[in-house]
Amino acid sequence: MALPPEKASELKQIIRQQLTRMDVHGRIREVLAETIREELAPEHQQLSAEDLMKALRRRGIIDDVMKELTFVTDMNDREMTSTPKPSIHFVDRQPPVLQKTNIDPTRRYLYLQVLGGKAFLEHLQEPEPLPGQICSTFTLCLHFRNQRFRSKPVPCACEPDFHDGFLLEVHKDSLGDGSKMVDATTMLSICDPVHMVLIKTDTFGETTLVASYFLEWRSVLGAENRVTNVAVELLGVGTESKVSVGVLNIKLEMYPQLNKTLSQEIVNTQLALERQKTAEKERLFLVYAKQWWREYLQIRPSHNTRLVKIFAQDENGINRPVCSYVRPLRAGRLLDTPRQAARFVNVLGYERAPVIGGGGGKQEQWCTLLAFLCRNKGDCEDHANLLCSLLLGYGLETFVCVGTKAKGVPHTWVMTCGTDGTITFWESLTGHRYIHNPINPDDPPLVEQPKPMYPYRTVGCVFNHQKFLGNCQPSDAVEVCVFDLHDESKWKPMSGEAIKSVCSPGATTSLPPFPPMCASTIDAAVISNETELQLRILVSEHRKDLGLTTVWDDQLSYLLSPALAAYELERTTSISAGNEEFQDAIRRAVPDGHTFKGFPIHFVYRNARRAFSTCLRSPFCEEIICCRGDQVRLAVRVRVFTYPESACAVWIMFACKYRSVL
């Protein structure tokens, strides 16, 4: 590979500087003088360059030079130009320096290192990935005291090569004096666990929840050498919650080091007391819930068939009160309005919890918030719980409704109660909103009744983080239900104190803390361009298979952008805007005697090939992609709208214009 003249001179200068620094010239002169004395004095022969190189090799000088030199790309010092290229430097060989981070010396940190995994037997036969080959990966997500971390993806294997360190801040201002270094005794009272979620991502970008584990970190407070190593056995989720999926080797240590450690007996006693206290609170709530249920059934025996859900299983198969899955959640600067929050929840993927075997039964699995956000998809209950939490954060009186939709399929959705008594249903899977106007069954037949637009059929109970109410009206049909939640003849409430004892933050150590939400890491423009390019290639190949040529109209493609922006705005705000300008631009771009056809479609994933195969199933889209005629020009525009947690709404519009020939 030839170097440009300026690069060649720069390289020569660098080599010259390095040789001068190592005094290689002086050592060569010494070898040259010695060689002449030893070998040339008697015969007075000429000394060739080859003879000199042999002498230098024999004395190890060339090896010394090569050991001292290594080629690296200096990414920090080079100036970035419009076409950046890595410049070549010679540097002294040094051990790799770990990335440094700023540490506040007045704060206490827990340094958690993941030093590999083992016994992931499901991947025992997994072949070693070739360099550059796309393979399934494991990613470990952590949450601790309002801090979130994510490991580097590692290839799935029986012994995955995790080597990551996470610096978790233990000290928080909420503990009191912000300038005071927290000691071991104070840290022993911090019962927040480190929540670890293991996600598997396949070669198509589909995510699977592998394990969810709560790590008790306080054992390090009693470690003799202030360091503790833990082998964490991860169990599966859902129906596999009792099956081991693998083991992670974890090392824990405190920074700065503790001046005084606690005895292991004190640590164990504290943990045992916490478990005992939690178990007692949960036992008392269970006793109360049974009593409440007996009273509810005494109102009307038919209540036994209603969907009144007091407990739900999480991903680890643990029964928890449903009120603990909801909590006011503020999105900071990431979401601006309740409707934008509804749109965000809507673009998170929907997937029913997997069931092993047939029968069509629904596997119950209400995920913890961290597992739902890291996986980026979940069941309708996960969506409803998240939307309810976000709307509570916006100051609305919000509840999760548990009931059924068409054909008696169990379903959950969200309800807000306005100060004027307006009841609004929010469908978390679509983002749609419905105003509820109840039908009065006692009205005469001639009185016109409102026609419900929502898909819900029955409602058994409603709940949020503070309240739980069972529907005790004569009929549980949504269309005749009156949502006057203060009327105990219509809605039987649970004791707020009982709910608070097990569901308020910090009430029990078994309650998973809510994580903060993270901003998107997706570059919308880059992903839009890449997806659009992939779709152009797929369309061209598809038409080529049909014996058709493809001519793209870049200007027409660009004109489709306002329409895609308007579609997303309408999904978010329910307001349609900008349609007049779009139509006027298209009329100007399509000549007289030509026909224009366009087909917009929406996805919540970024797989271009999967989106294209879905589009071809629509006869309208296939008609555009396979368009035949005179002067056919095709266009495609992709617009990716990003949301928190790297969720995204992907709008694609295919269009064509052609000359109409009758």
Side-chain angles (χ1 to χ4, degrees), residues 501-566:
S501 70
V502 289
C503 296
S504 64
T508 64
T509 54
S510 63
L511 204 61
F514 266 39
M517 294 205 330
C518 292
S520 177
T521 58
I522 295 173
D523 188 324
V526 170
I527 299 296
S528 299
N529 287 336
E530 287 178 356
T531 309
E532 191 171 305
L533 184 62
Q534 291 170 18
L535 286 174
R536 283 197 176 200
I537 294 169
L538 291 168
V539 170
S540 298
E541 289 176 348
H542 185 74
R543 287 177 62 86
K544 186 178 179 181
D545 292 342
L546 298 174
L548 302 171
T549 58
T550 306
V551 181
W552 294 101
D553 189 329
D554 290 338
Q555 176 62 12
L556 184 60
S557 297
Y558 180 71
L559 296 183
L560 303 177
S561 293
L564 300 183

Side-chain angles (χ1 to χ4, degrees), residues 226-246:
R226 297 173 173 81
V227 176
T228 183
N229 291 284
V230 186
V232 170
E233 183 185 19
L234 301 177
L235 300 178
V237 295
T239 53
E240 300 175 33
S241 60
K242 303 290 185 254
V243 181
S244 175
V245 295

Side-chain angles (χ1 to χ4, degrees), residues 599 601 613-625:
F599 176 79
I601 191 167
S613 62
T614 303
C615 291
L616 284 178
R617 289 200 286 270
S618 165
F620 300 106
C621 188
E622 188 189 27
E623 188 180 327
I624 292 171
I625 292 172

